[in-house]
Amino acid sequence: MDPVDFLQSDDLLSDEERAIGQSVRDYARAELAPHVSDWYESGTIPVEIARGLGKLGLLGMHLEGYGCANTTATAYGVACRELEAIDSGLRSLVSVQGSLAMFAIHHWGTEQHRQEWLPRMATGDAIGCFGLTEADAGSDPGSMRTHAKRDGDDWILNGSKMWITNGTIASVAIVWAQTDTGIRGFVVPTDSPGFKAHEIGRKLSLRASVTAELSLDDVRLPSSAVFPDVRGLKGPLSCLNEARYGILWGAVGAARACLCEALEYSLLRTQFGKPLAAFQLTQRKLADMSIAVANAALTAVQLGRLKDTHCITPEQISHGKLANVRSALEVARTARAVLGAAGITLDHSVMRHMNNLETVATYEGTEEMHTLSIGRALTGIAVFR
C-alpha cells in the first residue's frame, strides 16, 4: 500500500506518463528541493533553473513542434504535480511559460511569432510572461485600462499590468490591451523602449517565484506584433484554461507532499511514551488527508483523460481547480497541525505549501469565479458577464 497513492491512481497512467512523472520527481528532488527553502526565504528564484527544466523537456511540453515535446495533457499534468510537490513557485514558472506565454504564441500567434520565440522558450533560453491582470481588473479582465492605438502601420501601447509571474526575468511579454476593435493580444519584447518591469516584494506567499508589475509607456510595436485572428476575451481565457488545468494537478503534488511529511513526522515524534501516529485523533487527521489527496488525484486523472480526448469543458477545469486547491489547502493546514510548532519553520515544507496555496486559491480565477462558472453550467443562468 502506497500511503500517498491510496487508491493507486498512478495505475491509471500509461507507462510513458509514469516514466515522465518519475523523471521529473527525481530531477526536482535532486536539483530543486535542496535549494527551495533558501529561495523561498530570500524571496527569489534563479532564472538559470529554466534551462534545466528546458533540458528535461518540460517547457511547453504539451505543445507540438518548435522544439516542444508534444506529450499528452495528462503527462503535462503529472509533471506539474511533481514540480508543485516541491514548491508552487516552480510549477508557476512552468505554467506561465508553457500554458500562458507559449500557448498564446502557439495557438494565436503568426508563424513568424512561433519561429522567433517558441524554440528558445522551449529550451529556457527565453522566458515569457503573460500580461492580463491589472490592479483594478482581476476577475473582470474586460475592464482593463491598458490600450493600444494605431499610429500608421504601428501600434502604441500604454497601461500597466499587475501580479505578473516571471515579469522581471522575461524576454517576451504577451500583453492584452483594449483596441478600437476589442481586446487584442500583442507579442512585446521586453527590451522595447517604454517597457518596464518592477518586482513586487514583501510577499508572504509564492516567494520562490518572481512577481512583477509591468509598465507600458508609449511602447511602439510593428503591425506584425499583434495576434491576427483573435479578439475579445476568447484569447486570454483560452490560455487561462490551460494554466488552470496545470494548477489542478499541481495542487495534488502540494497536498501529497504535506501528507507525506505529516505521516513521517507522526511516526517519529513521540509524546506520552508513544508516537503521535498511535493516537486516535492523529490517525483521524491522517485518514482525512489521505482521502483528500486520493480524491484530488482521481479528479486530476479523469480531467486529464477528458483533455486528451478534447472533451473537456472550462467548467470542468473550474471544478478541478476549485476542488483540488481547496482540498490541498485543508491538507496543508491539517499537516501543519500534526507537526505542531515544528510546522511553522522552513525546516519543513507544510507551512510553505500552505502559504503558497493561499495564492493558488485566488490566482487564475478566484474561488468565487470558479463556483459561479460551475453554477452557470448547472443552472444555465449566468450571474456575471
Side-chain angles (χ1 to χ4, degrees):
M1 177 71 67
D2 183 347
V4 292
D5 187 16
F6 202 80
L7 297 182
Q8 299 174 250
S9 60
D10 271 9
D11 290 354
L12 302 174
L13 305 176
S14 70
D15 290 342
E16 181 180 10
E17 289 160 351
R18 280 194 296 273
I20 289 172
Q22 190 62 53
S23 294
V24 179
R25 183 182 301 189
D26 291 344
Y27 178 85
R29 288 179 174 178
E31 302 296 331
L32 304 174
H35 311 290
V36 73
S37 292
D38 291 337
W39 295 337
Y40 188 93
E41 189 168 22
S42 62
T44 189
I45 192 168
V47 66
E48 293 79 17
I49 71 168
R51 291 189 176 90
L53 296 170
K55 286 181 181 178
L56 206 58
L58 303 185
L59 303 180
M61 62 184 287
H62 56 312
L63 303 178
E64 183 178 1
Y66 310 97
C68 302
N70 192 27
T71 67
T72 64
T74 301
Y76 169 62
V78 170
C80 288
R81 181 188 71 186
E82 298 306 324
L83 290 171
E84 192 146 354
I86 307 302
D87 194 84
S88 301
L90 299 172
R91 197 265 313 139
S92 289
L93 189 156
V94 170
S95 287
V96 171
Q97 179 83 342
S99 290
L100 292 180
M102 291 178 72
F103 178 84
I105 293 171
H106 191 279
H107 198 68
W108 299 115
T110 64
E111 186 61 22
Q112 178 184 346
H113 295 148
R114 299 183 191 106
Q115 294 287 353
E116 180 179 4
W117 290 108
L118 291 180
R120 288 187 288 150
M121 296 176 78
T123 60
D125 291 316
I127 302 297
C129 65
F130 189 81
L132 177 64
T133 299
E134 298 183 3
D136 296 321
S139 296
D140 182 16
S143 297
M144 70 175 67
R145 297 179 182 177
T146 299
H147 62 274
K149 292 185 177 180
R150 296 302 300 260
D151 183 29
D153 290 333
D154 294 343
W155 289 92
I156 307 294
L157 270 65
N158 282 281
S160 63
K161 299 293 180 178
M162 196 68 170
W163 308 115
I164 308 303
T165 299
N166 299 345
T168 58
I169 62 175
S171 303
V172 61
I174 306 304
V175 176
W176 300 91
Q178 299 278 10
T179 74
D180 290 340
T181 58
I183 293 171
R184 303 193 68 178
F186 295 84
V187 179
V188 184
T190 58
D191 60 0
S192 301
F195 181 98
K196 294 181 180 179
H198 310 279
E199 186 168 352
I200 297 172
R202 298 174 62 82
K203 295 186 301 180
L204 298 177
S205 176
L206 277 185
R207 291 181 54 79
S209 178
V210 173
T211 310
E213 178 182 8
L214 307 184
S215 174
L216 301 105
D217 184 11
D218 286 335
V219 175
R220 180 177 291 272
L221 300 171
S223 59
S224 60
V226 70
F227 291 152
D229 298 324
V230 63
R231 288 164 177 76
L233 290 175
K234 176 182 177 181
L237 292 183
S238 68
C239 304
L240 291 177
N241 276 327
E242 292 294 308
R244 291 163 179 165
Y245 170 78
I247 289 170
L248 70 89
W249 276 94
V252 179
R256 186 191 69 194
C258 291
L259 168 61
C260 188
E261 191 162 35
L263 178 60
E264 180 181 4
Y265 186 87
S266 71
L267 290 167
L268 295 174
R269 170 76 166 175
T270 59
Q271 290 287 275
F272 302 102
K274 57 184 178 181
L276 285 178
F279 291 91
Q280 292 180 359
L281 290 178
T282 301
Q283 290 198 6
R284 172 63 184 266
K285 291 184 176 79
L286 295 171
D288 285 345
M289 287 189 285
S290 175
I291 290 169
V293 171
N295 288 347
L298 290 174
T299 296
V301 172
Q302 171 63 4
L303 291 176
R305 294 301 180 230
L306 288 174
K307 189 162 175 42
D308 280 325
T309 55
H310 308 288
C311 296
I312 200 165
T313 67
E315 293 82 6
Q316 288 170 327
I317 292 175
S318 285
H319 173 110
K321 199 263 189 182
L322 175 62
N324 282 9
V325 176
R326 180 185 287 168
S327 294
L329 250 176
E330 188 59 35
V331 168
R333 290 166 179 158
T334 303
R336 209 293 300 169
V338 171
L339 268 69
I344 73 169
T345 74
L346 282 173
D347 294 332
H348 299 278
S349 69
V350 291
M351 194 157 184
R352 177 166 51 79
H353 281 301
M354 185 174 73
N355 287 350
N356 286 338
L357 287 164
E358 288 290 350
T359 294
V360 176
T362 55
Y363 77 176
E364 313 290 0
T366 64
E367 282 201 358
E368 291 84 353
M369 299 307 292
H370 288 301
T371 299
L372 295 177
S373 177
I374 295 168
R376 179 180 59 192
L378 293 173
T379 66
I381 301 171
V383 296
F384 62 93
R385 60 184 175 86

